[in-house]
Amino acid sequence: MASPNADTTPPEPWYAKPTDEIFSALKTDETGISSDEAGRRLSEYGPNEIHEAERTSVLDLLLSQFRNPLIYLLVVAALLSLGTGFLPGGEPSYTEAVFIVLIIVANGVFGFVQDYQATRSIEALRELATPDATVLRDGEKRSIDAEKVVPGDVIYLEQGDAIPADARVLATEELRTNESPLTGESTPVEKTTGTVDEDTPLAERRNIVYKNTTVVKGRGRAVVVETGMETEVGGIATQLDEAEDRQTPFQAEVEHLGKQIGVLVVSLIVLVVAVQYLFTATEPTAILLVGITLAVAGVPEGLPAVVTFTLALGAREMVDRNALVRRLPVVESLGSVDVIVTDKTGTVTENEMTVTRLYASGSVIDFSGSSPSSATGDGNSQRVAANGNQRCDSEVSPLLRCGRLCNNVARTDDGEYRGEPTEIALRRIADDAEIDPAGERVREIQFSSERKRMTVVVEDGGPTAYMKGAPGTVLERCDSVLEGGDVQELTDEKRQDILDKTESFAADALRVLGFASKSLDDPSADAEQIEDGMVFLGLQGMLDPPREEVEDAIADCRSAGIRTVLATGDNLTTARAVGEQIGLDPDGALTGGDITEQSDDELGRTIEDVDVFARVEPDHKVRVLNALQGNGHNVVMTGDGVNDAPALTQADVGVAMGQRGTDVARQASDMILQDDNFATIRDAIREGRGIFENVRKFVNYLVSTNTGEVLVVFLGVLLGSLLFPSQFSATSQALILTPILILWINLAADTLPALALGADPHADGLMDRPPRPTDEGVINARVLVSILTIAVLLAVTGLGIFFYTLDRTGSILRAQTLLFTFIVVVELIRIQVIRSRYDQTLRSNRWLVGAIGVSLLIQLAVLYTPLNDFFQVVPPTLVEWGWIAVGFGVFLLLNVVVSALNSRIFESRISE
């Protein structure tokens, strides 16, 4: 126990201490504490609540969208465009500045809208707080606000209660709690009052009840040992609060790309200014104008907006596939995933107990779903479902009917089952098999942990007793067995066969119950007489079964080079069995205790050979993730419970369940599966891979354009200053391309087609390839070579047209117009050249066809309408279009040669 100001000392092992030591340490007893003492402790330890993390304001969320090096460069470009008004003889370029500002705003709005819905994980934990609690104060039972519960309080627990704090159990009447949100344990946990060993894992501390878990059966009394942030759920909140936001690889690459572009632009500006100032007669004002032009040419104005738009488009596609993305960059990160660490309960399983195997009349009946369809066992085969419907035959019906009658589950008008999960499973299979529940209950002999059985007496054409319980205990009360509709003597051989079947069921991680019945003469007899001389009916084995589609989804992921690891709070036997059922290797499975015993280096070595982890707690999951990430893996973590939140936050991509997941898990995640379907992760990964390819296409397209523009301005100004000094010395004629023309190319001619690329259909076979290496960015070696070679070809052919026109006409304005038009045409055609490397035709993307058509029409409007005065261009003649065509032919020929060389150097078919 620690006060809010305490240091990080190890938590007290309350589960390992005798009750009298706990009372002494807490200064309390069976009668609880006084109101005055409770008030003092509330001041000392603080309210029993989960502390809120500092909230991110809407303004901060909005501003965060603009903290990006490329955005900074765009801001500088806008300021430089306005800055031309301060140069001698210059005028501010409001149009350029407005265009750039619109790009910045559009990018920010895209990102802000996507992030606005995100809420803080700690806020979700706070919402889980229980509204009230029943405590013993001043010797009296009182209902108080749960936030006022303090260490030392004695609390009362009833079925349906949410537990207000971590507490040590003092008394129990069949008290069972649902701890799956905290520990991952899929079945209710029976609570006891004795001590357990100090090294007992969280999921096996049967004498402790935990804050924010619930009572599903029975009642009890407990003494509060920890409250607020000192509880187990509070410890998770602390881990979430301390977790650092992880940059996705794509975020880091875009940031790095922005910095590289900034350094390149500044370096070129310095070089050009120095060369012109030292070796030419260019006016200082003209030199500054060239610097501004280089800045505008070097910044890919449309890149941030296009990236954000494409990710948002991918996020929308994923919503249609039941995957809700909470952070846009995660869409791209899915494309490089190579490990999925998945929780069991509610993720790969149904999160409900289901009867999956029966033993009746000497045969084992295996089936899928909630009703039996066929029987196999001991070499026999029989029909259990008649005529394709759900009615079971006479040999199985008595077993299912016993489970139906010896059952306290209620069913609401809307068909919902309410009760203990084990009994719900028995009731559901009986209902599905249309078992007749006729018969009025006369008496119930309750289940207890000592008796390990429950019996009911039903008026069923005469009083009949029905029993269920631990198979060994039920067998002890039986002297006969029902086989083939006849009651036969329960011989030692048959008894051993039933025990062997029980062991085989348990070895497959099934929870096994035995069932028996007998007719009664006197229903008022004592329990011993009623429960003696029973007829054994059979066994029912149940578990939380894997979802039907999970095994295929895991197999598909394996084909895509993605490994799946199961990490669950269940026991080792269950974890191994479920792992094997979904196609994982159970050999070498480890427990949370094994993880604790290993150093980080040891775990890093063993993690590569382990598919299944059992009895894991939150810190174990984080260590597993750290080990995988330390080995260079890009990891998805799935989960639905409070216990999963730290690992969801730490993972490269945290995936929560939308239907069965807790608010905490959903708020800690990057993506939410709205259908709780593991197969949706596979579909999301495929979508992520396709989005990455589209991102690579338009990054190649846009960056090569801007690089080519920079080379055109850089080389053109230097060559022009040397070859045509008289024309390039004046301020009005110092440029190869004006800033407004460059901006037009970047926004109208390039951005529209690039946006349409975001809707490109995904290539076939995406899930037949291994994941891309985590250190491979959007611009890999091959794309970089492509960008540089295309930029050089564009500069060489474009400047050839420019200087040829200038030499023939003597008009720098006409030369600028033809160069401007040439670049637009080349870029619009080049976009299909890039796509052809992915075996995609122009017709496969109607949006791209439309975007290219619109860009061409706008370009013609700029050339042949009064807009040409605004852009300071002249209409090209038919002959000049011929010059452009010749230049384009040369460019295309060189491009084919360079692409062929590029393909020889790099073996991958997908090149750009």
Side-chain angles (χ1 to χ4, degrees):
M1 182 174 62
S3 66
N5 298 322
D7 58 8
T8 55
T9 55
E12 287 280 356
W14 300 108
Y15 49 89
K17 294 179 179 293
T19 304
D20 55 352
E21 288 188 22
I22 294 175
F23 285 150
S24 177
L26 297 174
K27 296 182 174 58
T28 187
D29 56 31
E30 293 273 3
T31 62
I33 57 178
S34 66
S35 298
D36 292 341
E37 177 62 17
R40 188 193 68 77
R41 295 189 184 193
L42 188 62
S43 298
E44 179 182 356
Y45 298 108
N48 176 34
E49 62 185 8
I50 304 301
H51 297 164
E52 286 190 79
E54 184 179 350
R55 299 184 181 185
T56 301
S57 68
V58 174
L59 180 60
D60 287 340
L61 190 62
L62 180 61
L63 293 177
S64 68
Q65 309 302 320
F66 303 99
R67 299 186 183 115
N68 181 302
L70 281 178
I71 298 297
Y72 300 154
L73 287 174
L74 291 177
V75 172
V76 172
L79 294 175
L80 288 174
S81 297
L82 292 174
T84 57
F86 297 97
L87 297 175
E91 295 181 359
S93 180
Y94 294 112
T95 303
E96 296 165 8
V98 169
F99 277 4
I100 295 174
V101 169
L102 287 176
I103 290 290
I104 295 172
V105 171
N107 180 73
V109 169
F110 275 136
F112 176 76
V113 169
Q114 290 293 322
D115 291 345
Y116 182 73
Q117 298 299 322
T119 56
R120 305 276 63 87
S121 299
I122 304 300
E123 293 176 33
L125 282 167
R126 181 180 175 83
E127 290 173 3
L128 288 177
T130 54
D132 55 59
T134 302
V135 301
L136 192 60
R137 294 267 178 92
D138 301 316
E140 298 179 356
K141 289 176 66 174
R142 298 179 183 177
S143 180
I144 66 170
D145 190 323
E147 292 185 357
K148 296 180 180 178
V149 170
V150 296
D153 264 326
V154 172
I155 58 175
Y156 290 85
L157 303 172
E158 298 281 348
Q159 183 172 330
D161 285 351
I163 298 169
D166 290 2
R168 171 70 180 271
V169 177
L170 299 176
T172 171
E173 296 180 27
E174 305 307 320
L175 179 65
R176 295 185 184 184
T177 62
N178 176 15
E179 295 180 356
S180 61
L182 181 65
T183 66
E185 180 68 62
S186 58
T187 59
V189 179
E190 183 178 356
K191 294 300 177 179
T192 62
T193 58
T195 60
V196 295
D197 294 337
E198 191 167 332
D199 59 355
T200 302
L202 180 69
E204 297 178 7
R205 297 170 191 171
R206 305 300 190 191
N207 57 4
I208 298 287
V209 291
Y210 299 103
K211 181 178 176 64
N212 295 141
T213 61
T214 56
V215 179
V216 296
K217 185 176 182 180
R219 59 183 59 86
R221 187 161 41 88
V223 57
V224 174
V225 293
E226 302 288 3
T227 59
M229 298 300 287
E230 302 303 322
T231 61
E232 291 294 335
V233 73
I236 294 173
T238 300
Q239 292 183 50
L240 292 178
D241 195 23
E242 294 173 352
E244 296 181 0
D245 290 336
R246 294 175 56 88
Q247 266 195 330
T248 67
F250 187 61
Q251 283 176 304
E253 184 176 2
V254 169
E255 182 174 327
H256 181 63
L257 178 62
K259 292 177 180 177
Q260 286 181 318
I261 291 173
V263 171
L264 175 64
V265 169
V266 172
S267 300
L268 288 177
I269 290 174
V270 171
L271 178 61
V272 170
V273 168
V275 170
Q276 283 196 304
Y277 182 76
L278 294 175
F279 301 105
T280 71
T282 307
E283 299 175 4
T285 301
I287 294 176
L288 292 176
L289 189 59
V290 171
I292 293 173
T293 305
L294 274 173
V296 174
V299 178
E301 288 87 353
L303 184 58
V306 173
V307 168
T308 306
F309 173 79
T310 302
L311 296 180
L313 192 65
R316 176 176 292 183
E317 289 289 330
M318 288 186 181
V319 168
D320 293 339
R321 298 174 182 270
N322 292 311
L324 177 62
V325 174
R326 298 182 64 247
R327 292 197 305 131
L328 282 183
V330 170
V331 175
E332 183 275 336
S333 295
L334 284 164
S336 60
V337 164
D338 62 350
V339 177
I340 301 174
V341 178
T342 177
D343 187 40
K344 178 185 78 70
T345 306
T347 307
V348 299
T349 65
E350 298 284 358
N351 197 25
E352 60 181 26
M353 295 298 290
T354 304
V355 176
T356 59
R357 192 178 301 173
L358 304 176
Y359 174 76
S361 294
S363 294
V364 175
I365 301 101
D366 286 300
F367 54 89
S368 60
S370 58
S371 57
S373 59
S374 64
T376 58
D378 300 330
N380 299 319
S381 178
Q382 66 182 44
R383 285 291 297 175
V384 177
N387 303 321
N389 63 23
Q390 302 292 329
R391 292 186 175 87
C392 291
D393 67 15
S394 59
E395 295 186 2
V396 178
S397 180
L399 172 62
L400 300 184
R401 191 162 190 270
C402 182
R404 168 67 177 83
L405 295 173
C406 191
N407 197 308
N408 288 322
V409 168
R411 192 172 187 182
T412 63
D413 293 339
D414 59 2
E416 181 181 354
Y417 293 95
R418 292 184 177 176
E420 189 182 17
T422 299
E423 290 193 339
I424 289 176
L426 299 174
R427 171 70 183 270
R428 183 181 289 111
I429 189 175
D431 287 350
D432 288 349
E434 298 185 4
I435 296 297
D436 182 9
E440 181 182 354
R441 181 181 294 191
V442 176
R443 181 179 176 186
E444 176 182 342
I445 306 172
Q446 293 185 349
F447 178 92
S448 71
S449 56
E450 292 78 18
R451 286 166 33 81
K452 297 183 179 179
R453 62 183 182 271
M454 169 189 174
T455 302
V456 297
V457 178
V458 177
E459 185 58 47
D460 191 13
T464 305
Y466 293 94
M467 174 192 292
K468 76 170 186 289
T473 300
V474 172
L475 273 175
E476 290 176 359
R477 314 302 298 184
C478 296
D479 56 19
S480 57
V481 59
L482 183 67
E483 289 188 354
D486 297 326
V487 176
Q488 301 179 13
E489 180 185 357
L490 183 60
T491 63
D492 291 342
E493 182 180 354
K494 291 180 179 179
R495 189 182 299 273
Q496 186 58 49
D497 181 60
I498 294 170
L499 292 175
D500 290 343
K501 291 297 186 295
T502 300
E503 290 181 5
S504 69
F505 280 28
D508 291 333
L510 299 180
R511 184 176 185 183
V512 191
L513 292 178
F515 297 83
S517 68
K518 78 170 186 178
S519 298
L520 299 176
D521 294 326
D522 181 11
S524 63
D526 62 41
E528 281 295 318
Q529 290 179 312
I530 289 177
E531 295 181 333
D532 189 42
M534 304 286 284
V535 178
F536 186 78
L537 302 177
L539 304 171
Q540 295 195 49
M542 63 197 74
L543 51 67
D544 180 12
R547 302 171 68 94
E548 292 182 5
E549 62 280 350
V550 167
E551 185 174 3
D552 288 341
I554 289 177
D556 290 342
C557 289
R558 186 179 297 113
S559 298
I562 302 168
R563 176 185 167 208
T564 302
V565 175
L566 178 67
T568 175
D570 277 296
N571 61 58
L572 187 58
T573 300
T574 300
R576 280 175 170 164
V578 172
E580 187 170 16
Q581 289 171 5
I582 61 177
L584 303 182
D585 183 1
D587 294 339
L590 299 180
T591 66
D594 298 326
I595 295 174
T596 300
E597 292 176 359
Q598 293 189 9
S599 67
D600 290 342
D601 290 340
E602 290 173 330
L603 185 60
R605 290 190 295 270
T606 60
I607 195 75
E608 299 297 332
D609 300 318
V610 179
D611 284 355
V612 177
F613 292 90
R615 286 296 187 225
V616 293
E617 298 177 11
D619 57 327
H620 297 143
K621 291 186 178 182
V622 172
R623 285 199 65 202
V624 167
L625 283 168
N626 287 339
L628 288 168
Q629 290 168 337
N631 289 348
H633 294 293
N634 196 359
V635 184
V636 162
M637 163 67 188
T638 74
D640 61 356
V642 175
N643 62 319
D644 296 318
L648 289 172
T649 304
Q650 177 74 22
D652 295 285
V653 181
V655 179
M657 303 299 110
Q659 295 179 356
R660 295 187 175 99
T662 61
D663 284 341
V664 178
R666 287 192 288 267
Q667 297 300 332
S669 67
D670 301 304
M671 187 174 78
I672 299 171
L673 303 185
Q674 294 176 307
D675 59 356
D676 288 9
N677 192 334
F678 185 90
T680 302
I681 301 174
R682 172 199 56 198
D683 298 337
I685 289 174
R686 183 185 184 280
E687 186 71 23
R689 290 186 174 189
I691 289 169
F692 177 81
E693 283 196 347
N694 288 345
V695 169
R696 176 169 278 176
K697 291 175 196 173
F698 66 70
V699 167
N700 184 343
Y701 176 60
L702 291 176
V703 174
S704 62
T705 299
N706 284 85
T707 305
E709 292 166 7
V710 168
L711 287 178
V712 165
V713 174
F714 173 62
L715 296 175
V717 168
L718 293 182
L719 291 173
S721 299
L722 297 173
L723 300 177
F724 301 90
S726 60
Q727 292 173 293
F728 276 78
S729 60
T731 302
S732 60
Q733 297 181 332
L735 301 176
I736 296 294
L737 288 172
T738 63
I740 190 65
L741 293 181
I742 292 173
L743 199 59
W744 177 255
I745 295 172
N746 292 350
L747 296 183
D750 292 347
T751 303
L752 279 178
L755 285 171
L757 270 179
D760 245 9
H762 301 329
D764 295 332
L766 281 174
M767 295 299 284
D768 295 329
R769 312 173 193 166
R772 75 176 190 275
T774 55
D775 58 352
E776 178 183 309
V778 175
I779 301 179
N780 60 9
R782 186 165 193 174
V783 173
L784 180 61
V785 170
S786 174
I787 289 172
L788 294 177
T789 53
I790 292 301
V792 171
L793 294 181
L794 181 64
V796 169
T797 52
L799 287 175
I801 291 175
F802 177 87
F803 286 115
Y804 177 78
T805 304
L806 183 60
D807 182 61
R808 290 288 301 270
T809 66
S811 170
I812 195 168
L813 189 63
R814 188 162 291 276
Q816 288 174 339
T817 300
L818 266 61
L819 175 59
F820 165 57
T821 305
F822 170 76
I823 292 176
V824 170
V825 172
V826 164
E827 288 303 321
L828 292 179
I829 300 301
R830 172 170 155 69
I831 200 168
Q832 180 53 35
V833 174
I834 293 175
R835 296 179 74 250
S836 66
R837 298 293 182 181
Y838 298 82
D839 297 327
Q840 291 177 321
T841 64
L842 188 61
R843 290 181 299 175
S844 65
N845 186 342
R846 58 190 178 91
W847 298 105
L848 181 60
V849 173
I852 292 175
V854 169
S855 294
L856 284 173
L857 289 175
I858 295 175
Q859 179 65 20
L860 292 175
V862 168
L863 295 174
Y864 294 103
T865 70
L867 286 173
N868 54 28
D869 288 335
F870 176 79
F871 285 94
Q872 295 184 342
V873 293
V874 295
T877 65
L878 186 61
V879 173
E880 289 169 343
W881 275 107
W883 298 349
I884 293 173
V886 170
F888 176 73
V890 172
F891 171 83
L892 197 59
L893 178 62
L894 293 175
N895 183 63
V896 170
V897 173
V898 169
S899 295
L901 292 174
N902 201 5
S903 297
R904 287 189 177 184
I905 296 172
F906 301 96
E907 296 180 354
S908 173
R909 184 178 67 87
I910 303 299
S911 63
E912 297 177 323

